[in-house]
Amino acid sequence: MLQAITFIALVVGGTALISWPAGRYMAWAMDPGTSGRGNANAFTNLFQSIGGSITRASQDWKQYMISLLAFNVVMFVLCFAILALQQYLPLNPDGKEALEGSLIFNTTASFTTNTNLQHYSGEVSLSYLSQLAALMWLQFVSAATGIAALAALARGLAGRASGNFFVDVQRASFLVLLPIALIVASLLVIGGLPMTFNGAAVATTLEGVQQTIARGPVAAFVAIKQLGTNGGGFFGPNSTHPLENTGFWTNALEMFAIIIIPMACVWMFGRIVGRIRHATVVFGVMLALLLVKITGAGYFETAPTEAFAGLPIEQNVGNLEGKEMRFGATGGPLWSVLTTSTSNGSVGAMHDSLNPLTGLMPMIGMWLNATFGGVGVGMINMFLYMIVGVFIACMMIGRTPEYLGWRVEAREVKFAMLALLAHGFFILVGTAVFAATPWGQNTLNNIGPHGFSEMLYEFTSASANNGSGFEGLGDDTTPWNIATGLVMLLGRFIPIILPLAIVGSLSAKRRSAESSGTLSVEDGTFAGMLIATILVVGALTFFPAATLGPIAEHFIYMNG
Amino acid sequence: MSQSKTASIMDTRILIPAIGAAFKKLDPRSLAGNPVMFVVAVVSALTTVLFVKDLITGAADLGFSFQIILWLWFTVLFANFAEAVAEGRGKAQADSLRRSRSATQAKLLSGDDRSEYRLVPGTSLKVGDVVLVEAGDIIPSDGEIIEGVASVNEAAITGESAPVIRESGGDRSAVTGGTQVLSDWIRVRITAAAGSTFLDRMISLVEGAERKKTPNEIALNILLAAMTLIFVMAVATIPSFAAYAGGAIPVIVLVALFVTLIPTTIGALLSAIGIAGMDRLVRFNVLAMSGRAVEAAGDVDTLLLDKTGTITLGNRQATEFRPVSGVSEQELADAAQLASLADETPEGRSIVVLAKEKYGIRGRDMASLHATFVPFTAQSRMSGVDFDGSSIRKGAVDAVLRYIDRAAPKTGNARARNGTAREIQSIADDIAKAGGTPLAVVRDDRLLGVIHLKDIVKGGIRERFAELRRMGIRTVMITGDNPMTAAAIAAEAGVDDFLAQATPEDKLRLIRDEQARGKLVAMCGDGTNDAPALAQSDVGVAMNTGTVAAREAGNMIDLDSDPTKLIEIVEIGKQLLMTRGSLTTFSIANDVAKYFAIIPAMFVTLYPPLSALNIMGLSTPQSAILSAIIFNALIIIFLIPLALKGVAYRPIGAGPLLRRNLLIYGLGGLIVPFAGIKIIDMIVTALHLA
Amino acid sequence: MEALLASIRITVATMAICVAGYATAVWAVGQAITPETAEGSLITAPDGTVVGSRQIAQAFTQPKYFWPRPSAVDYDAAGAGGSNKSPTSPDLTARAQEIIARYGATAENPLPPELATASGAGLDPHISEHAALYQTPRVAEARGLSQVQVETLIRDHAFASGGFLATSRMVNVLELNLALDRQGS
């Protein structure tokens, strides 16, 4: 118990502490103007010469948006092409074959949208070129897209122009992600992860059986998959695989890498907007919700594997199905919450095999999708909740609603609710369609409520751009590939376009001054209001579905 | 404001017609404006159709379905009823206004010299026509007096029976159609055509006929519609989920869950809250030209208040006699009293009162003294008396000094007089610094001393400003006084800032500066020269006594012409939004309990162990669902009084206010339905309804 | 159109720096500092043949070896995966019953739970010291060693994963078995 708490405090608390200087660095890197310390003009000039003339102009939110989409189209097309042609391309030592069309679509959508839902298994299906030039590349630039969008949003709220997407995306790639990834990847290599371009090794085991051991340029891939909240594993079972995550301390380092940039994004937002105290409150709200989920997961996972009740198996340890010994008792549940709170989606234990209510915690994390959330986009999602929360809170103090002095009116409420609504729509309607048809029913790995949870989880993960899964689901089918591919694309771009549109509309208004009569977004009351809004708007919708999934499974099986 | 006009919410004269109106409002066209209730009406109608079908084909549980459907319709009717009650209160007032609009005959003047008139119907008057109104006539339409002076009874619009004086020129020249001239005659140039007069506007305002949704209301409606959509998704996907689990959920149960989850409480009360908010203002004798203005009032950051009449009593009072050396207080008081005996201004009377109270100098009869009164003129800026060859003057210090220089250059000792003059000047400065107005007194060519006239700050005004400060509102006093006097009064009254020696241009500039810094500014004014500032300010309250120009420029009109009302207007604006916000919070918070009532009841047939979620211990699944839907309908009725009265406003800062309201309406909204549904379940079970 | 052009230029730049440059740099770090683990922690027999990876579990079924945790993919290191069964699943009960039979576990001598549960990748190379000790009698008997000898070997190989944060000690099954083989019998 004490070790567990110490470990959680170390990972979460330690990362939170480091996120402060990291956020300061990100603010400097992404928005050289806001930091007093030096400036990045030399970099800005470099990035402008790389991008060409269009990158020299300041963009309004629409131009910024169009640039962002144009770049993402190029990302999609190139990744699709590499995956589709991998059998003809170099760096394929194990001779991986062609992939099926809907799987290429799904995988491309998945990595373009920073989701990294994997309906394939890396070591089985992909060449090293596909892994690096298609997927790892997208792990950089899709994360950079999110960070750029947040920087533009924050600038708008500060009353400034959006900036230039093409400069921002390079700042995020080269100044933020690349240096941190180099450090983390180096540490991971030193921690024992493979980093080789040689093909699979073939071993003859002690009992004389042939064992093919897949390997590859794993360390580089894993570092950016965690840092960019991508989550797509080099190997099928992701970070439970001993070669992706060799021991206790690499596990801790990877957990740090999962949450560091999402946490730092909050500080970056605060610095660019010029409201550190506000950022502190937001950070506190996210941290509080995160800790509640961690506590829940840690608690529920102490129940032993229910299937062993009555068997001659020791019952004094928690549920170990799908978990690795080297990560210790807390590693699995803690990781499951961190990875789903941040839209990362890499797994350190098999989520399908978590106890029912433990498995609910990752789902809640993805339903809310803003308890730090994905790089950049997590804070953007939180902004949507804040628009709604501020709207109601301001009325309660007798003011027409405003956020940071910007008046929130019909248009803003409409866009914010639309973005939040879309998330629920994709998850619930998607699950409803697949639950009622063979598309879903024939792909389940578990029976009863747990099978339902597998489908619910899959759509939740796709819409939240998370990418983890209840992996028992036989999801490499054409219906799953297409449905989740579309959901990932819509679930990515709707919550980027609409918030930027909100800021575009807000910043066109007259900004009003703040006083003791206006709503403070810097105190505990606001934090409470925000938590209530997040829970009511974000989670209440899913209560019926949760009841028929994990909650039903819990009450049916876990009463003993 | 007259509290007596506040009709009781439970007035049967309003309630009974409201019941009928509730049914009339079932008209889809009237429901369409309210997305939440429209959806409830649609599902109620659909389930009714299904019920009729089941009735014919014969299905199980008809009694249960019937009760649910009944309560669904009640939900819609209760919402309509709430709106009808709110409108009913305005209607009563509109009826009485309409009576005073009864057809009038106008004496339309014609001819070049406008000496002739002919009688025409009041409704045929056009803008620009000139009419004659004589004692006993009803003024046919809104207009401006171009000639004459009259006393006018404006009770029809203000409810105040004491007549007011209206005269051409100046700031008291506007007259309102429907009011009655009591004495004398006036010529009025008509400024409003029939149908768009002040009275017409007032009637439509109180009736709510012209009520347009405010921006905030539209935004809230969107939020509520979106919440409704969210729950459409949450409920519409349940059949598929249930099918996966190998069961089916009856449509009536799904409908019950849906209707209880969507924000029906706030949806039902939303328009009542809006109407009641406007109504509160009207009761307060303030006419808002739009709902938007009322909401903006709640946002005001800076309040510009005229000193005179708002912060201080209109009149200054003598508080002290300060003689120069060599003159006794008694002597100064005596001279001051003599000079003021015939002075009927409030200041003059206050001098006589002070002399009597403090120095025992009784009133004297001017006639027996053979005294002649010398009235105040703009040239001399002094008044006084001449008697027995002696003359006493009192007036502005500089005027008096100039008077002495002119009257007695040849007599006396110029140097001694210069010394006294310096002394007078220094006393005068002291008084001015303390916020008073000095009035020098001179007898013949001898300066006696200074009367200290003081601006009397209204009782309780300091506390009001402290309240405003806690609300985050900055008060700025506008005065024509010099900066020194203004600073002293400002300090005494506790305003945050002042604008001294203010010209209309200064005022306008101040408003623009504040707005440039992102502040919302409210002010009130009456004169024509206030019109630009009224128009520029975000909330401009024009006094009813003011000029037509001022009334056109403001977005509110105060019928009582009481500038302190700005403060209450701000509070009413805040209260309106707070009521909306608090009930929204309450409504949404209710969902938690409703989920815990209905979800276990709904799914227990699929997975019996889910009865563990029935934390309220409701007796049967059917009674649980029925209790939730009954609670959902009844809570509307229970909250009607709150919606009409508005939630209590406390002048505290935003933080404490939010905490308070979150606690009452957020936490309350979480807890109340648990208790309410449990109690209803016990009753339902006891009555064997389910 | 200009936006597309800029996108392509940035694509080229990021491909060069974030993919080629980055991967090469990390590869170089590995080759320089930890060349052995960077190639997959392979263990080579004296004759030069690869017997496995220290990080990867391999199948052991003979009584003379310690057995690793069960694998849902039969220790396929080129296609790893977990069972993805719910902990409430009857499939897990059935699997556990087979395993119990193999170990001969009884209510008096219950099985350590990791020996009945599959890991996430099916390649978990570790078991707890406790689970290794549990297998001592079988291994000792098969090899004709004393239980104390085997237990000593286990304790020599046991380590605390996570140092001061570890709640129990564990052993690497492949390394333990290699040590057994080296000890002979």
Side-chain angles (χ1 to χ4, degrees):
Chain A
M1 187 66 186
L2 186 67
Q3 284 99 335
I5 292 171
T6 315
F7 183 56
I8 292 168
L10 200 74
V11 171
V12 179
T15 313
L17 286 180
I18 297 171
S19 74
W20 173 259
R24 202 185 173 102
Y25 171 73
M26 280 178 71
W28 170 81
M30 292 306 296
D31 201 50
T34 51
S35 168
R37 301 188 306 142
N39 67 63
N41 273 339
F43 287 116
T44 306
N45 291 336
L46 174 66
F47 298 150
Q48 285 171 343
S49 23
I50 291 174
S53 59
I54 191 177
T55 60
R56 293 182 202 280
S58 175
Q59 297 176 317
D60 65 23
W61 79 267
K62 278 185 193 146
Q63 294 164 327
Y64 198 96
M65 201 73 257
I66 289 167
S67 304
L68 186 152
L69 292 174
F71 186 59
N72 275 262
V73 167
V74 171
M75 284 159 58
F76 187 94
V77 170
L78 185 57
C79 175
F80 197 99
I82 294 175
L83 291 183
L85 301 173
Q86 69 165 5
Q87 65 274 27
Y88 307 117
L89 295 172
L91 219 57
N92 188 3
D94 295 318
K96 303 296 185 196
E97 302 288 318
L99 299 166
E100 187 265 325
S102 73
L103 180 62
I104 298 175
F105 165 72
N106 186 275
T107 307
T108 305
S110 171
F111 281 76
T112 304
T113 58
N114 198 246
T115 309
N116 297 16
L117 191 71
Q118 295 170 292
H119 287 178
Y120 64 94
S121 186
E123 73 270 37
V124 178
S125 311
L126 295 187
S127 74
Y128 291 171
L129 186 82
S130 297
Q131 295 266 36
L132 296 180
L135 304 189
M136 194 179 77
W137 175 60
L138 287 183
Q139 290 183 332
F140 271 100
V141 291
S142 71
T145 299
I147 297 173
L150 177 62
L153 182 101
R155 285 191 200 110
L157 287 174
R160 298 192 280 130
S162 304
N164 186 298
F165 172 76
F166 294 114
V167 174
D168 281 346
V169 80
Q170 293 182 77
R171 284 174 174 155
S173 302
F174 297 137
L175 299 182
V176 177
L177 295 169
L178 184 63
I180 308 181
L182 270 173
I183 296 169
V184 171
S186 300
L187 290 174
L188 287 176
V189 168
I190 294 167
L193 266 69
M195 184 66 204
T196 177
F197 294 98
N198 293 325
V202 178
T204 309
T205 68
L206 295 191
E207 292 191 345
V209 183
Q210 292 255 311
Q211 186 185 32
T212 305
I213 300 171
R215 48 185 182 163
V218 181
F221 194 93
V222 169
I224 187 61
K225 102 172 174 193
Q226 307 295 29
L227 286 168
T229 60
N230 295 289
F234 190 89
F235 300 106
N238 213 302
S239 283
T240 63
H241 195 290
L243 292 181
E244 280 208 24
N245 200 352
T246 48
F248 188 88
W249 294 110
T250 59
N251 191 47
L253 175 64
E254 289 187 28
M255 284 199 264
F256 159 80
I258 287 174
I259 46 178
I260 178 67
I261 296 185
M263 279 181 165
C265 276
V266 179
W267 300 124
M268 179 186 90
F269 172 82
R271 283 184 187 280
I272 297 181
V273 174
R275 298 293 293 268
I276 286 290
R277 284 177 60 91
H278 174 48
T280 310
V281 168
V282 172
F283 194 95
V285 166
M286 291 176 165
L287 189 62
L289 288 169
L290 182 73
L291 288 175
V292 167
K293 285 180 289 178
I294 290 173
T295 310
Y299 170 74
F300 291 122
E301 206 56 12
T302 54
T305 314
E306 181 61 26
F308 299 163
L311 297 179
I313 296 175
E314 291 172 3
Q315 306 279 328
N316 55 351
V317 190
N319 171 32
L320 288 178
E321 183 68 23
K323 292 194 190 57
E324 308 295 305
M325 295 304 288
R326 59 192 180 283
F327 302 156
T330 333
L334 175 59
W335 184 302
S336 75
V337 170
L338 295 182
T339 190
T340 48
S341 293
T342 57
S343 164
N344 185 297
S346 64
V347 295
M350 286 298 147
H351 290 192
D352 216 345
S353 297
L354 293 172
N355 280 332
L357 291 184
T358 319
L360 180 61
M361 298 299 143
M363 288 196 232
I364 292 174
M366 294 184 286
W367 291 334
L368 307 181
N369 213 17
T371 46
F372 293 113
V375 287
V377 293
M379 186 61 223
I380 295 179
N381 280 335
M382 184 52 106
F383 166 74
L384 294 173
Y385 286 116
M386 285 199 286
I387 289 290
V388 177
V390 150
F391 182 78
I392 297 173
C394 275
M395 283 198 291
M396 275 204 283
I397 59 165
R399 308 254 329 176
T400 54
E402 58 198 8
Y403 172 62
L404 302 180
W406 304 110
R407 189 135 298 172
V408 177
E409 288 170 307
R411 191 179 166 83
E412 291 79 31
V413 170
K414 182 161 66 187
F415 287 173
M417 288 307 288
L418 207 61
L420 294 171
L421 207 113
H423 189 46
F425 178 85
F426 297 141
I427 294 170
L428 290 175
V429 174
T431 308
V433 170
F434 276 63
T437 56
W439 290 350
Q441 289 164 357
N442 292 350
T443 57
L444 305 180
N445 185 45
N446 282 282
I447 51 165
H450 197 89
F452 179 74
S453 298
E454 287 180 336
M455 293 180 284
L456 179 63
Y457 195 104
E458 185 73 3
F459 273 107
T460 299
S461 175
S463 181
N465 287 165
N466 183 276
S468 63
F470 270 17
E471 284 302 339
L473 187 70
D475 48 21
D476 184 15
T477 63
T478 307
W480 275 118
N481 283 338
I482 292 183
T484 54
L486 290 174
V487 165
M488 285 187 284
L489 288 170
L490 294 170
R492 169 72 168 180
F493 293 107
I494 289 175
I496 288 181
I497 294 171
L498 289 176
L500 281 183
I502 291 175
V503 172
S505 149
L506 283 179
S507 55
K509 302 181 191 185
R510 187 179 113 189
R511 193 174 189 177
S512 55
E514 290 168 75
S515 70
S516 64
T518 50
L519 178 75
S520 165
V521 291
E522 301 182 341
D523 63 8
T525 315
F526 178 71
M529 183 70 203
L530 192 53
I531 288 178
T533 308
I534 292 170
L535 292 180
V536 167
V537 178
L540 223 48
T541 325
F542 301 104
F543 192 63
T547 308
L548 290 178
I551 296 176
E553 189 188 0
H554 175 84
F555 282 116
I556 294 167
Y557 297 106
M558 303 295 284
N559 278 342
Chain B
M1 179 184 77
S2 49
Q3 286 295 337
S4 57
K5 278 203 286 179
T6 312
S8 158
I9 289 158
M10 290 302 142
D11 189 337
T12 48
R13 277 169 306 174
I14 292 174
L15 292 188
I16 290 168
I19 294 172
F23 283 93
K24 266 188 226 134
K25 282 171 182 286
L26 286 175
D27 182 338
R29 279 165 301 179
S30 114
L31 283 170
N34 184 336
V36 178
M37 295 323 294
F38 185 75
V39 167
V40 178
V42 168
V43 294
S44 306
L46 286 179
T47 43
T48 310
V49 171
L50 281 179
F51 178 75
V52 172
K53 195 191 102 201
D54 283 351
L55 205 59
I56 296 163
T57 56
D61 271 345
L62 282 176
F64 173 70
S65 303
F66 177 74
Q67 288 187 72
I68 295 280
I69 290 167
L70 204 61
W71 284 101
L72 287 177
W73 283 114
F74 278 149
T75 310
V76 183
L77 287 171
F78 289 169
N80 291 345
F81 177 72
E83 191 180 71
V85 171
E87 285 171 349
R89 301 210 297 174
K91 245 179 211 122
Q93 208 168 355
D95 287 344
S96 78
L97 286 173
R98 216 174 257 122
R99 276 193 292 278
S100 53
R101 200 178 50 177
S102 50
T104 49
Q105 291 286 306
K107 295 169 177 169
L108 180 65
L109 294 165
S110 56
D112 291 339
D113 54 352
R114 292 188 172 141
S115 52
E116 310 276 299
Y117 71 75
R118 58 194 165 85
L119 280 176
V120 296
T123 50
S124 71
L125 290 173
K126 295 187 294 295
V127 176
D129 284 349
V130 177
V131 296
L132 175 70
V133 190
E134 293 172 299
D137 291 349
I138 302 271
I139 299 173
S141 185
D142 296 355
E144 187 158 20
I145 302 176
I146 55 173
E147 191 186 347
V149 54
S151 65
V152 179
N153 177 0
E154 296 193 335
I157 52 169
T158 64
E160 184 61 56
S161 54
V164 292
I165 302 296
R166 294 278 181 247
E167 58 191 329
S168 65
D171 292 345
R172 304 265 183 279
S173 60
V175 289
T176 309
T179 56
Q180 190 182 27
V181 170
L182 295 180
S183 67
D184 306 292
W185 58 268
I186 45 176
R187 287 186 183 179
V188 175
R189 186 192 299 116
I190 300 300
T191 55
S196 64
T197 65
F198 191 65
L199 204 59
D200 293 318
R201 253 189 298 175
M202 198 163 158
I203 289 169
S204 65
L205 263 177
V206 297
E207 273 191 331
E210 259 182 34
R211 213 178 80 82
K212 286 209 190 80
K213 286 198 184 106
T214 63
N216 176 259
E217 225 177 331
I218 293 170
L220 181 56
N221 254 318
I222 288 175
L223 180 81
L224 298 180
M227 300 283 302
T228 307
L229 265 179
I230 284 180
F231 290 117
V232 168
M233 288 169 354
V235 174
T237 47
I238 287 177
S240 157
F241 299 168
Y244 170 86
I249 308 290
V251 173
I252 193 77
V253 174
L254 290 171
V255 165
L257 177 67
F258 173 66
V259 170
T260 51
L261 287 180
I262 64 175
T264 47
T265 314
I266 178 66
L269 297 173
L270 191 56
S271 74
I273 293 169
I275 296 168
M278 291 292 270
D279 191 49
R280 266 199 300 283
L281 265 187
V282 170
R283 263 161 222 285
F284 216 69
N285 269 352
V286 175
L287 282 193
M289 295 302 132
S290 69
R292 188 181 198 138
V294 183
E295 285 171 5
D299 291 348
V300 164
D301 301 294
T302 308
L303 214 51
L304 302 192
L305 296 165
D306 281 325
K307 183 197 78 175
T308 308
T310 310
I311 296 172
T312 61
L313 296 171
N315 313 310
R316 286 174 288 206
Q317 291 182 357
T319 55
E320 194 186 4
F321 296 119
R322 294 192 50 185
V324 293
S325 48
V327 177
S328 70
E329 280 187 41
Q330 195 73 24
E331 187 183 355
L332 172 61
D334 186 63
Q337 190 241 22
L338 275 174
S340 308
L341 276 175
D343 182 357
E344 285 302 314
T345 63
E347 287 88 354
R349 272 189 304 234
S350 79
I351 292 170
V352 175
V353 168
L354 182 68
K356 181 176 178 192
E357 284 179 351
K358 213 164 161 194
Y359 302 97
I361 301 168
R362 283 186 289 132
R364 284 165 277 188
D365 180 32
M366 290 282 283
S368 65
L369 287 170
H370 308 292
T372 48
F373 178 60
V374 181
F376 179 90
T377 69
Q379 282 75 39
S380 70
R381 289 164 62 219
M382 294 186 300
S383 65
V385 288
D386 287 335
F387 71 102
D388 295 346
S390 178
S391 60
I392 303 175
R393 294 287 183 276
K394 69 174 199 300
V397 175
D398 57 329
V400 168
L401 289 178
R402 221 178 309 121
Y403 164 78
I404 292 194
D405 279 346
R406 223 180 315 113
K410 43 214 171 287
T411 62
N413 171 343
R415 190 189 295 164
R417 215 172 46 231
N418 279 346
T420 323
R422 265 199 300 280
E423 195 182 345
I424 291 273
Q425 196 66 58
S426 104
I427 296 173
D429 284 351
D430 280 357
I431 292 173
K433 237 176 265 172
T437 307
L439 220 53
V441 181
V442 60
R443 183 165 199 157
D444 299 329
D445 61 351
R446 191 163 153 249
L447 284 163
L448 297 177
V450 183
I451 305 167
H452 183 173
L453 286 180
K454 201 175 169 209
D455 262 314
I456 303 299
V457 172
K458 284 185 176 172
I461 201 87
R462 210 186 155 81
E463 289 70 33
R464 295 301 292 275
F465 291 148
E467 268 180 22
L468 286 170
R469 200 166 303 118
R470 281 199 296 277
M471 288 156 61
I473 296 173
R474 207 168 74 93
T475 45
V476 179
M477 179 178 85
I478 309 289
T479 171
D481 291 342
N482 65 60
M484 216 191 289
T485 310
I489 297 172
E492 189 182 348
V495 294
D496 298 302
D497 201 356
F498 62 87
L499 183 66
Q501 288 167 338
T503 62
E505 294 74 39
D506 291 340
K507 231 174 173 174
L508 192 58
R509 198 173 322 117
L510 176 67
I511 294 173
R512 290 207 171 118
D513 286 352
E514 289 284 311
Q515 288 175 337
R517 268 178 286 156
K519 305 280 177 64
L520 244 68
V521 183
M523 67 164 286
C524 50
D526 50 6
T528 298
N529 56 18
D530 283 332
L534 278 172
Q536 178 70 36
S537 62
D538 301 282
V539 177
V541 183
M543 300 295 109
N544 190 38
T545 53
T547 60
V548 173
R551 275 165 44 164
E552 292 293 329
N555 44 18
M556 290 193 200
I557 294 174
D558 176 14
L559 300 174
D560 297 337
S561 306
D562 170 8
T564 51
K565 269 202 206 155
L566 258 183
I567 298 171
E568 277 89 0
I569 292 172
V570 168
E571 290 188 359
I572 288 176
K574 282 189 182 297
Q575 202 188 21
L576 172 65
L577 283 166
M578 274 170 52
T579 309
R580 230 180 249 157
S582 299
L583 289 182
T584 303
T585 306
F586 184 87
S587 187
I588 295 172
N590 274 349
D591 279 357
V592 176
K594 292 168 184 170
Y595 259 134
F596 275 100
I598 296 187
I599 288 284
M602 192 174 202
F603 291 150
V604 81
T605 50
L606 304 175
Y607 299 121
L610 281 177
S611 60
L613 285 179
N614 180 10
I615 52 177
M616 280 179 270
L618 305 177
S619 47
T620 66
Q622 289 200 336
S623 79
I625 293 164
L626 190 57
S627 304
I629 196 101
I630 292 176
F631 174 85
N632 192 55
L634 288 182
I635 195 73
I636 296 172
I637 292 286
F638 280 115
L639 289 176
I640 289 177
L642 183 67
L644 296 186
K645 274 204 314 241
V647 305
Y649 178 71
R650 297 281 160 86
I652 45 180
L657 195 59
L658 180 60
R659 256 194 302 287
R660 192 187 132 84
N661 284 334
L662 264 182
L663 217 59
I664 298 177
Y665 299 99
L667 199 60
L670 211 57
I671 295 166
V672 165
F674 276 103
I677 291 173
K678 177 70 189 168
I679 292 168
I680 295 172
D681 175 72
M682 281 155 40
I683 297 171
V684 163
T685 311
L687 297 177
H688 301 290
L689 293 175
Chain C
M1 205 53 231
E2 233 187 322
L4 276 181
L5 196 70
S7 302
I8 291 166
R9 293 170 72 138
I10 290 167
T11 298
V12 173
T14 44
M15 276 288 187
I17 299 169
C18 293
V19 177
Y22 165 71
T24 312
V26 179
W27 176 81
V29 170
Q31 293 303 314
I33 303 177
T34 52
E36 187 259 325
T37 54
E39 291 297 330
S41 309
L42 301 179
I43 298 175
T44 339
D47 62 358
T49 57
V50 176
V51 295
S53 164
R54 190 178 303 112
Q55 312 282 9
I56 300 289
Q58 50 183 248
F60 286 102
T61 51
Q62 299 170 9
K64 63 172 181 169
Y65 286 121
F66 286 97
W67 297 340
R69 300 179 63 189
S71 169
V73 291
D74 202 15
Y75 308 98
D76 178 2
S83 73
N84 288 308
K85 290 294 179 192
S86 165
T88 65
S89 168
D91 296 346
L92 289 193
T93 314
R95 190 188 69 195
Q97 276 159 342
E98 279 174 33
I99 295 170
I100 288 165
R102 206 180 317 141
Y103 279 95
T106 59
E108 291 72 39
N109 185 25
L111 195 66
E114 74 259 37
L115 294 180
T117 49
S119 71
L123 301 174
D124 191 348
H126 301 111
I127 56 175
S128 68
E129 183 183 40
H130 169 64
L133 291 172
Y134 185 84
Q135 302 185 35
T136 306
R138 184 193 75 230
V139 174
E141 192 193 333
R143 291 190 177 255
L145 296 169
S146 77
Q147 291 206 17
V148 178
Q149 279 174 306
V150 177
E151 277 173 17
T152 311
L153 197 69
I154 292 171
R155 292 195 205 281
D156 286 348
H157 276 83
F159 66 100
S161 178
F164 66 99
L165 290 171
T167 42
S168 63
R169 292 156 65 80
M170 60 181 66
V171 293
N172 184 304
V173 177
L174 177 57
E175 287 181 321
L176 187 60
N177 284 336
L178 279 167
L180 272 176
D181 279 356
R182 275 197 299 275
Q183 217 167 51
S185 311

